Amino acid sequence: MELHEVTVPMSIKVSKQLKRPGGKYLKVELEVIGDRIVKLKISGDFFAYPSHLLDMLEKEAAGLRAEKEGVERLLETYKGRLELVGVRFEDLKRLILEALEETISM
Amino acid sequence: MALDEAMLLLKEEGKIPDTLRLYVFKPSAVSIGYFQKVEESVNLEMLDSMGIPFVRRVTGGGSVYHDENGEVTYSVIADLSEFPKDAIESYKAICKGIIYALAELGLEASFIPINDVVVNGRKISGSAQLRKARSLLQHGTLLYDTDLELLSKVLKAPSLKLKSHAVSFIHERVTTVSRELGEPPSKEEVIAALIKGFEMGLGVKLKEERLTEEERGLALKLLKKYRSREWNFMR
């Protein structure tokens, strides 16, 4: 019997959080397996209008290639449509991209 | 929670008038914000051991302990066009009702953005809002005699949040009407103050009505979601 070495891509999970004075708490959790994002979870005590857009963003991120350009492109499609109260859209973007960068560098 | 959502959906269809709903959770319960993670916002072990249920709201914001004997919840369901477009300004406009209600009870309160009403620098009421295309739901809490020790045991705040508030315990930054006045008002006094407060704050004359069959029916349909593990543990 011949044995082959199989490489199983590792799951890498990174979380980032932020709370500005006078603002709300924001947490981003990102899971990457191989070259793909498998999960993005955004949580906290902020407000988002309309709230389903944030659920949609999480769903759309799952399956994307784990690279900055594609994720930035996706986030740009939400800018202006998604109103965040208590946190800034730029903070959300920064946390997601920082988490992504960390998964790539690991 | 199911009834609040049902009323918002019916308001969106133009089927009900602008409404103020006042209610008390029985038994005492915890509600958490739509985007909150369960394990970061409530002490599940404590809730289990005390038999206190929790439910995820359809609105954002933080976790709330709804004390059966010390808290009244309010909901305003109204046309979006009647309030400022800016989210914080609209919180402020609706929170006027709470501020007038507290004045009725003998306390000077003020609105602190984003969504808090404070007395002597401590939070006494918090609110959360959900908007549809034509209507909004803002619900919130008025702590009149809440057990703050219990509140601080069942609710959790993320460590980052505590740091920025510069206090170690939730109950140090929260107060009640009873604590501020030195004696507890009755639930009936609080409800009467809220009705008068919202009439003054919103510039309306309220008329007491029973739930319609449609409101009750839709709420019963939505109840299944609010009782499901899938909804409550979604994050």
Side-chain angles (χ1 to χ4, degrees):
Chain A
M1 194 171 73
E2 210 176 323
L3 289 176
H4 295 277
E5 195 173 292
V6 178
T7 309
V8 180
M10 210 171 54
S11 156
I12 302 170
K13 294 177 186 173
V14 172
S15 74
K16 295 277 170 188
Q17 46 190 330
L18 177 82
K19 164 83 175 75
R20 286 185 183 275
K24 300 289 184 185
Y25 172 69
L26 172 67
K27 184 175 186 178
V28 162
E29 292 163 281
L30 192 73
E31 183 180 358
V32 169
I33 297 182
D35 65 351
R36 296 279 162 189
I37 293 172
V38 292
K39 195 158 93 178
L40 169 67
K41 274 284 168 198
I42 302 160
S43 60
D45 59 356
F46 54 86
F47 300 94
Y49 308 113
S51 51
H52 74 267
L53 277 188
L54 214 54
D55 297 327
M56 213 154 95
L57 170 62
E58 290 179 343
K59 283 195 188 99
E60 285 194 296
L64 278 187
R65 287 183 75 89
E67 41 182 50
K68 193 181 169 195
E69 293 71 25
V71 173
E72 265 184 330
R73 261 200 309 276
L74 173 66
L75 288 168
E76 279 306 307
T77 65
Y78 283 83
K79 201 173 177 179
R81 284 197 297 153
L82 176 66
E83 184 191 358
L84 295 173
V85 177
V87 295
R88 299 175 190 168
F89 187 84
E90 289 310 312
D91 286 337
L92 173 65
K93 185 176 170 180
R94 182 167 62 82
L95 292 193
I96 293 173
L97 293 176
E98 278 178 9
L100 181 66
E101 206 176 308
E102 214 170 298
T103 62
I104 295 168
S105 65
M106 282 170 104
Chain B
M1 288 297 116
L3 192 50
D4 275 2
E5 188 182 353
M7 290 171 106
L8 175 67
L9 295 174
L10 293 172
K11 180 73 209 167
E12 184 70 4
E13 289 176 31
K15 289 182 173 174
I16 61 166
D18 290 353
T19 305
L20 167 72
R21 177 183 173 223
L22 299 176
Y23 58 105
V24 172
F25 281 73
K26 202 171 179 176
S28 298
V30 167
S31 72
I32 66 170
Y34 182 76
F35 298 108
Q36 285 192 295
K37 281 175 79 88
V38 176
E39 71 266 26
E40 287 185 358
S41 48
V42 296
N43 185 332
L44 274 179
E45 277 180 23
M46 186 65 74
L47 290 184
D48 279 349
S49 70
M50 303 198 68
I52 298 172
F54 86 91
V55 64
R56 183 179 295 277
R57 297 190 306 269
V58 74
T59 50
S63 45
V64 178
Y65 173 54
H66 302 272
D67 188 329
E68 181 185 342
N69 298 307
E71 188 264 350
V72 176
T73 307
Y74 80 90
S75 307
V76 169
I77 301 102
D79 282 342
L80 200 55
S81 60
E82 289 163 25
F83 294 97
K85 210 173 169 191
D86 177 81
I88 294 177
E89 287 302 315
S90 66
Y91 273 113
K92 190 177 178 181
I94 296 175
C95 284
K96 264 190 194 174
I98 300 287
I99 292 170
Y100 280 117
L102 286 163
E104 278 296 306
L105 294 166
L107 292 172
E108 194 182 333
S110 54
F111 174 77
I112 301 280
I114 299 165
N115 56 334
D116 291 345
V117 172
V118 302
V119 171
N120 293 323
R122 289 189 172 117
K123 182 172 173 173
I124 201 162
S125 168
S127 296
Q129 204 181 93
L130 177 66
R131 293 157 169 221
K132 294 274 178 193
R134 290 175 295 277
S135 47
L136 68 77
L137 158 70
Q138 181 170 313
H139 50 197
T141 178
L142 178 58
L143 310 181
Y144 70 91
D145 196 23
T146 295
D147 182 339
L148 296 180
E149 284 299 318
L150 188 53
L151 178 147
S152 66
K153 283 179 190 159
V154 295
L155 303 187
K156 274 189 196 169
S159 53
L160 268 177
K161 196 174 172 180
L162 281 179
K163 259 182 223 163
S164 77
H165 280 111
V167 289
S168 310
F169 301 99
I170 295 171
H171 80 262
E172 283 181 29
R173 57 174 292 267
V174 175
T175 194
T176 65
V177 174
S178 162
R179 186 171 169 184
E180 296 300 320
L181 285 178
E183 57 176 350
S186 68
K187 190 179 291 176
E188 291 68 30
E189 282 173 311
V190 175
I191 288 169
L194 279 167
I195 293 169
K196 200 165 176 188
F198 276 107
E199 284 188 329
M200 289 166 75
L202 302 178
V204 293
K205 183 75 192 148
L206 294 165
K207 190 175 81 176
E208 196 174 332
E209 282 184 0
R210 289 189 171 275
L211 287 177
T212 65
E213 280 309 308
E214 204 170 14
E215 286 168 334
R216 196 183 300 273
L218 185 52
L220 283 172
K221 278 184 195 159
L222 291 167
L223 201 55
K224 198 178 166 194
K225 173 179 85 177
Y226 286 100
R227 283 182 172 158
S228 71
R229 192 176 165 82
E230 192 189 3
W231 169 261
N232 288 316
F233 284 88
M234 130 199 329
R235 280 187 171 83

